[in-house]
Amino acid sequence: MSKVNPFEMAQQQLLDCANILNLDQGVVNILMQPQKQIQVSIPVKMDDGTIQVFQGFRVQYNNALGPYKGGIRFHPDETIDTVRALAAWMTWKGSVLGLPLGGGKGGVICNPKAMSDGELERLSRGYVRALWQHIGPDMDVPAPDVYTSGQIMAWMMDEYSVISGKNQYGVVTGKPVIVGGSLGRGDATARGGMYTLREAANEVGLDLSKAKIAILGFGNVGSFAASLAGEMFGSRIVAVSDSKGGVYDEQGIDIASLNGHKKKTRSVIGYKGLKTLTNEDVLALPVDIIVAAAPDEGAINGRIAKTIKAKIICELANGPTTPDGDEVFVKNGLHVIPDFLCNAGGVTVSYYEMVQNMYMHYWTLDEVYSKLDKAMTKSYHEVLDASKEYKINMRQAAYVVAVRRVVEAMKVRGWV
Ligand code: NAD
């Protein structure tokens, strides 16, 4: 899945922030490692009667601010280092948004595309049976991530409820609305990112109604971002890509029709007979904004960053840019909306789902959107202000805002 070790990347970013904040070495030592890592073996009876044993992880990074919170990935290339990095980023993500949550992440090494619904259900329930003592509404609250869905969350919630002997909707988020899911969770990550993009465009003086956008990774998040950028700002999506490559149309791509093509062929390739580009070609196109939404940590390294002509990088994916890629962005004056700020809309609405589950009182879509807009806009400006105050780039500033809060909580709790 990744070319660089994502956890080393996350640690390097944290060390950079520790220097800026002049953090005590003991504090840094705590923040550099997860508090707990659990690895489990999950036996699953497959449809052909054989037993297959899957490896699952849950990494609980830091809970100074509240219960651990973070998704579960089902992926054949999952590694503990990716899960560790994502758990660290979840800690900073919740914190930068000012949410009362810590950070965690989970994963199972499996190929969900080659599994039946029954096998996936047994795997999901098996994950909960193996980990139920470590999760819970006030302990650790998982959510969907790459190749996990609302249905998988419903099975997990049901298994946990059976084990606890009562309905426990709040044990996971991203559930279907009928079993305690929040309205607005589906496109929350992309929508939250678009709110930050609106603010960033304002900051750099870019007129979004005339902007050209390339989207790397036309999956769940990327396709919602494409539709929303058109809907909310009238921007032109001129290029999109997936794991097989990308397509480019200077005149703009009709996203509804592309969605139809992708549904039929499972790729953006071949759309309207357009030439296939590599993902590197897509990044080098003459566009104003790049939306990085591919689950390919470290895809934008120093060499590739030099080819980018866009003014704004909207990092909806986790960890798309390496530290040397960042150096190039700073040198070339690009405005980066860093991942754990840009893609925090998902966890923010997940938090809203936890609140609604606790109160058993559910909000309208307008209430969710308006709260999300306020939260993302406020956080973007806190990060922008920190970048100006400390004269640092936006990623460093996001770390400063997030790490400062976690450290303050650790201090008042008496951990350091
Ligand atoms: P997804 O699986 O729905 O979509 C990913 C898309 O990227 C697919 O179209 C895939 O073909 C494409 N892709 C894979 N490798 C690629 C590559 N090397 N170059 C270009 N495209 C590639 O996943 P998603 O849920 O949209 O998540 C995308 C990213 O956003 C991940 O980094 C994820 O961690 C992050 N994220 C997702 C959420 C969420 O709510 N789903 C929240 C926060 C962050």
Side-chain angles (χ1 to χ4, degrees):
M1 198 192 280
S2 42
K3 300 170 198 67
V4 293
N5 179 323
F7 187 52
E8 284 173 11
M9 205 166 102
Q11 286 182 314
Q12 200 176 327
Q13 292 164 345
L14 175 66
L15 281 177
D16 187 24
C17 168
N19 278 333
I20 296 165
L21 288 175
N22 203 13
L23 290 183
D24 182 83
Q25 190 56 45
V27 173
V28 179
N29 292 346
I30 295 178
L31 295 179
M32 285 288 277
Q33 296 296 334
Q35 290 173 328
K36 206 193 269 186
Q37 305 180 67
I38 309 146
Q39 180 164 356
V40 292
S41 298
I42 310 163
V44 174
K45 190 175 261 184
M46 307 304 280
D47 291 347
D48 64 4
T50 61
I51 302 282
Q52 210 169 314
V53 182
F54 295 91
Q55 291 305 300
F57 311 104
R58 188 74 190 164
V59 174
Q60 298 179 329
Y61 203 85
N62 188 294
N63 65 351
L65 286 169
Y68 304 105
K69 181 89 193 81
I72 301 173
R73 294 177 156 205
F74 281 5
H75 200 283
D77 300 332
E78 199 58 82
T79 70
I80 186 76
D81 273 331
T82 313
V83 178
R84 272 192 202 114
L86 291 162
W89 287 324
M90 280 308 297
T91 308
W92 316 134
K93 193 182 299 192
S95 178
V96 84
L97 259 288
L99 305 177
L101 297 173
K105 204 80 177 188
V108 177
I109 305 172
C110 65
N111 182 6
K113 287 184 180 169
M115 294 170 73
S116 70
D117 280 356
E119 289 167 342
L120 277 176
E121 176 174 353
R122 293 192 286 281
L123 176 62
S124 306
R125 290 184 185 275
Y127 184 86
V128 171
R129 278 198 303 277
L131 281 162
W132 70 272
Q133 281 157 313
H134 303 276
I135 60 173
D138 51 8
M139 204 190 301
D140 183 353
V141 183
D145 203 292
V146 176
Y147 299 150
T148 50
S149 59
Q151 175 60 74
I152 287 177
M153 293 306 113
W155 289 324
M156 290 186 169
M157 178 277 289
D158 185 70
E159 190 65 27
Y160 188 83
S161 297
V162 169
I163 293 168
S164 337
K166 58 186 172 193
N167 262 358
Q168 292 267 29
Y169 278 3
V171 67
V172 291
T173 57
K175 302 176 293 290
V177 170
I178 191 75
V179 285
S182 176
L183 293 175
R185 177 63 181 84
D187 68 359
T189 302
R191 186 175 289 275
M194 292 303 106
Y195 294 140
T196 63
L197 176 60
R198 179 193 63 207
E199 300 304 305
N202 209 14
E203 174 65 19
V204 305
L206 179 70
D207 180 354
L208 281 175
S209 69
K210 297 198 177 81
K212 288 189 274 182
I213 304 184
I215 299 201
L216 198 75
F218 193 75
N220 176 15
V221 173
S223 58
F224 276 129
S227 311
L228 288 171
E231 226 172 81
M232 290 165 68
F233 315 127
S235 307
R236 202 172 353 144
I237 311 301
V238 294
V240 292
S241 76
D242 59 28
S243 54
K244 300 195 179 87
V247 288
Y248 172 56
D249 183 350
E250 222 257 309
Q251 298 311 311
I253 292 169
D254 175 350
I255 298 304
S257 136
L258 176 69
N259 273 324
H261 172 84
K262 167 119 192 191
K263 219 176 190 173
K264 246 190 271 153
T265 66
R266 310 189 79 176
S267 176
V268 299
I269 299 300
Y271 174 69
K272 291 209 166 147
L274 292 170
K275 196 174 109 195
T276 303
L277 304 180
T278 65
N279 274 294
E280 287 194 30
D281 293 339
V282 171
L283 286 167
L285 288 168
V287 295
D288 303 297
I289 297 158
I290 285 175
V291 173
D296 189 22
E297 295 85 12
I300 307 178
N301 57 27
R303 178 182 61 78
I304 292 173
K306 281 187 192 141
T307 67
I308 291 181
K309 300 177 185 72
K311 298 180 192 74
I312 298 177
I313 310 288
C314 190
E315 289 186 341
L316 281 174
N318 285 305
T321 308
T322 61
D324 62 331
D326 261 338
E327 278 174 30
V328 175
F329 287 160
V330 172
K331 212 167 120 217
N332 294 350
L334 267 73
H335 188 85
V336 177
I337 313 171
D339 51 3
F340 65 76
L341 167 65
C342 188
N343 67 32
V347 71
T348 305
V349 176
S350 270
Y351 163 65
Y352 298 162
E353 185 174 331
M354 290 169 69
V355 173
Q356 294 171 80
N357 290 158
M358 279 173 192
Y359 281 90
M360 297 182 79
H361 174 74
Y362 289 86
W363 304 344
T364 64
L365 200 52
D366 280 349
E367 281 175 282
V368 172
Y369 287 166
S370 125
K371 286 182 207 292
L372 180 63
D373 190 350
K374 279 195 198 111
M376 297 299 300
T377 302
K378 178 167 178 274
S379 302
Y380 172 85
H381 285 285
E382 281 170 351
V383 170
L384 184 68
D385 290 349
S387 86
K388 290 178 181 168
E389 181 191 337
Y390 287 83
K391 298 188 174 40
I392 51 180
N393 68 48
M394 287 289 283
R395 187 177 323 281
Q396 291 169 318
Y399 266 93
V400 162
V401 172
V403 171
R404 239 178 1 201
R405 284 189 184 132
V406 174
V407 172
E408 195 188 332
M410 291 190 346
K411 280 195 179 137
V412 295
R413 291 180 71 144
W415 295 4
V416 290

